[in-house]
């Protein structure tokens, strides 16, 4: 396979938007992160360096060189890929799953089987617009985050859902068990998030650069003797690791979070032996995507999905209560 070159001309309806947004609208099968890696030139072959933040003008023409993909491909689905799926809703256009903790969303480096996408493909079809490794994927949950996740089965649903998530035209609420007891009932947490310079796998709060992020947190329960609280967090943006970064940076890291939890520094203060045993033996942050509300991408009907707490979080709540 050779590199693929596509050409796009700016129409009057697209004039004034950022170049990266214009290209993402023309190529919905690619994420903005993928588009950033493509070679982009204007039709006049001007030597100036194009910036993805540039505003496009009517009549401008851009050529985009899409390199041959080097990502992992999903192998043909077999009976071994079948897995029990907690299906919250399904029709011809979408499927909504209550994702278990410990399951990766899709194949990638170091994981070529046992992913949620492969489990769904063993059950039904998914839109191919998501690409070779991410068919039907319009948003994601971390491997060790459980809860509601929606996939596109039809191409029409994929196109609308990607725009819905990009515009944050939906409601997403999470449950998090965190260290500490806030002195507030609810709070808005804001601050730009970007990739860390020391650990590229870790996101961090940035004073300069990064992407704007906002999370609203409300205290549901608090156990002062254990110095643990249960929060309901609402996302107003959808940055990588957003809730985990925001809560940790404000002094309330998610329990059992290996990346942002700072758990080892707190173990000495845990007096509850059951809680201590749970934290020492449990893998995966205590974060659950509880609620997803949005309009159906094809019928436009309002939809609301709720996923009950997984067994491990219910066990934790019993220990704390």
């Amino acid at each position: 396979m050779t590199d693929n070159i596509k050409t796009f001309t700016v129409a009057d309806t697209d004039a004034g938007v950022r170049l990266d947004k214009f290209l993402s609208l023309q190529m919905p099968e690619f994420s903005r992160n993928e588009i950033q890696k493509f070679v982009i030139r204007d039709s006049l072959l001007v030597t100036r360096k194009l910036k993805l933040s540039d505003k496009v003008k009517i009549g401008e023409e851009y050529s985009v060189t899409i390199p041959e993909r080097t990502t992992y491909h999903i192998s043909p689905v077999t009976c071994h890929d079948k897995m029990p799926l907690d299906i919250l809703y399904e029709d011809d256009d979408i499927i909504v799953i209550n994702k278990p903790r410990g399951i990766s969303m899709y194949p990638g480096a170091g994981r070529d089987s046992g992913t949620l996408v492969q489990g769904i493909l063993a059950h039904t079809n998914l839109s191919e617009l998501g690409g070779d490794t991410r068919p039907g994927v319009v948003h994601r949950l971390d491997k060790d985050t459980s809860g509601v996740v929606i996939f596109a089965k039809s191409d029409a649903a994929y196109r609308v859902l990607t725009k819905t998530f990009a515009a944050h035209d939906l409601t997403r609420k999470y449950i998090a068990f965190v260290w500490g007891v806030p002195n507030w009932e609810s709070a808005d947490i804001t601050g730009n998030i970007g990739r860390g310079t020391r650990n590229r796998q870790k996101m961090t709060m940035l004073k300069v650069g990064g992407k704007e992020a906002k999370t609203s947190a409300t205290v549901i329960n608090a156990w002062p003797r254990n110095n643990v609280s249960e929060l309901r967090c609402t996302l107003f943006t959808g940055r990588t690791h957003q809730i985990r970064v925001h809560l940790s940076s404000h002094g309330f890291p998610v329990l059992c979070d290996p990346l942002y939890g700072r758990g080892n520094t707190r173990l000495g203060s845990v007096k509850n032996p059951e809680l201590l045993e749970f934290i020492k033996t449990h893998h995966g942050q205590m974060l659950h995507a509880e609620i997803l509300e949005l309009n159906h991408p094809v019928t436009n009907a309002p939809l609301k999905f709720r996923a009950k707490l997984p067994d491990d979080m219910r066990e934790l709540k019993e220990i704390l209560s």
Side-chain angles (χ1 to χ4, degrees):
M1 182 184 296
T2 58
D3 291 350
N4 182 22
I5 300 177
K6 295 185 177 183
T7 302
F8 306 103
T9 302
V10 180
D12 55 355
T13 54
D14 296 315
V17 305
R18 286 169 51 114
L19 176 57
D20 56 353
K21 183 176 181 180
F22 168 72
L23 293 176
S24 67
L25 291 173
Q26 310 309 309
M27 301 181 291
E29 67 271 29
F30 297 107
S31 68
R32 289 200 191 185
N33 286 336
E34 289 176 306
I35 291 173
Q36 290 175 5
K37 301 173 184 177
F38 298 163
V39 177
I40 304 167
R41 297 185 177 89
D42 62 21
S43 59
L44 299 178
L45 299 179
V46 177
T47 56
R48 70 181 179 88
K49 183 178 180 181
L50 289 175
K51 296 181 180 179
L52 290 175
S53 59
D54 288 345
K55 302 294 179 63
V56 300
K57 300 177 182 179
I58 298 176
E60 287 182 334
E61 190 175 86
Y62 294 92
S63 67
V64 181
T65 302
I66 304 170
E68 179 181 355
R69 291 196 173 194
T70 57
T71 55
Y72 289 80
H73 293 253
I74 292 180
S75 302
V77 175
T78 69
C79 61
H80 300 294
D81 292 302
K82 291 183 178 180
M83 63 174 64
L85 298 173
D86 186 357
I87 300 174
L88 303 178
Y89 178 85
E90 183 179 9
D91 60 22
D92 291 340
D93 297 294
I94 60 174
I95 182 170
V96 183
I97 302 290
N98 180 11
K99 173 189 169 298
R101 195 182 322 283
I103 299 294
S104 295
M105 288 282 294
Y106 42 76
R111 58 179 189 277
D112 55 9
S113 63
T115 68
L116 188 56
V117 158
Q118 289 160 305
I120 295 174
L121 286 174
H123 164 77
T124 187
N125 62 286
L126 289 171
S127 169
E128 296 181 359
L129 292 183
D132 294 329
T133 60
R134 305 179 188 182
V137 176
V138 294
H139 72 125
R140 64 180 294 273
L141 297 179
D142 296 329
K143 175 182 177 180
D144 289 323
T145 296
S146 58
V148 185
V149 61
I150 185 171
F151 294 84
K153 293 177 62 175
S154 69
D155 292 350
Y158 181 89
R159 292 187 179 97
V160 173
L161 286 173
T162 52
K163 293 178 180 179
T164 298
F165 277 88
H168 313 298
D169 188 19
L170 71 170
T171 298
R172 285 180 286 175
K173 296 180 183 291
Y174 289 67
I175 296 294
F177 287 86
V178 303
W179 289 108
V181 177
N183 59 4
W184 38 260
E185 292 184 1
S186 62
D188 289 337
I189 303 173
T190 59
N192 286 22
I193 291 177
R195 200 164 294 280
T197 55
R198 295 181 180 179
N199 182 352
R200 299 298 292 173
Q201 301 300 315
K202 191 173 183 179
M203 308 302 287
T204 187
M205 297 276 283
L206 298 173
K207 293 182 178 179
V208 179
K211 294 183 178 179
E212 179 184 7
K214 179 181 178 181
T215 305
S216 177
T218 301
V219 179
I220 301 175
N221 288 297
W223 298 272
R225 292 184 61 182
N226 293 297
N227 194 33
V228 172
S229 300
E230 180 184 4
L231 308 181
R232 176 172 284 113
C233 300
T234 302
L235 286 180
F236 291 93
T237 53
R239 311 308 179 198
T240 301
H241 300 172
Q242 178 175 318
I243 292 176
R244 299 162 66 189
V245 173
H246 268 173
L247 292 180
S248 180
S249 66
H250 282 70
F252 305 103
V254 178
L255 264 67
C256 304
D257 186 340
L259 201 55
Y260 307 99
R262 305 195 295 257
N264 291 336
T265 62
R266 298 174 181 266
L267 290 182
S269 63
V270 177
K271 306 302 180 183
N272 184 331
E274 286 186 276
L275 177 59
L276 184 61
E277 179 67 15
F278 182 93
I279 294 170
K280 284 184 174 180
T281 59
H282 195 78
H283 300 284
Q285 60 270 1
M286 294 288 95
L287 184 63
H288 174 70
E290 178 194 28
I291 294 172
L292 174 64
E293 291 184 71
L294 75 172
N295 289 340
H296 191 285
V298 175
T299 68
N300 205 39
L303 301 173
K304 181 176 181 178
F305 306 106
R306 181 189 294 268
K308 64 182 181 181
L309 284 179
D311 292 342
D312 55 0
M313 292 180 78
R314 291 204 297 270
E315 177 187 353
L316 174 60
K317 198 165 185 174
E318 290 178 2
I319 291 172
L320 293 167
S321 301

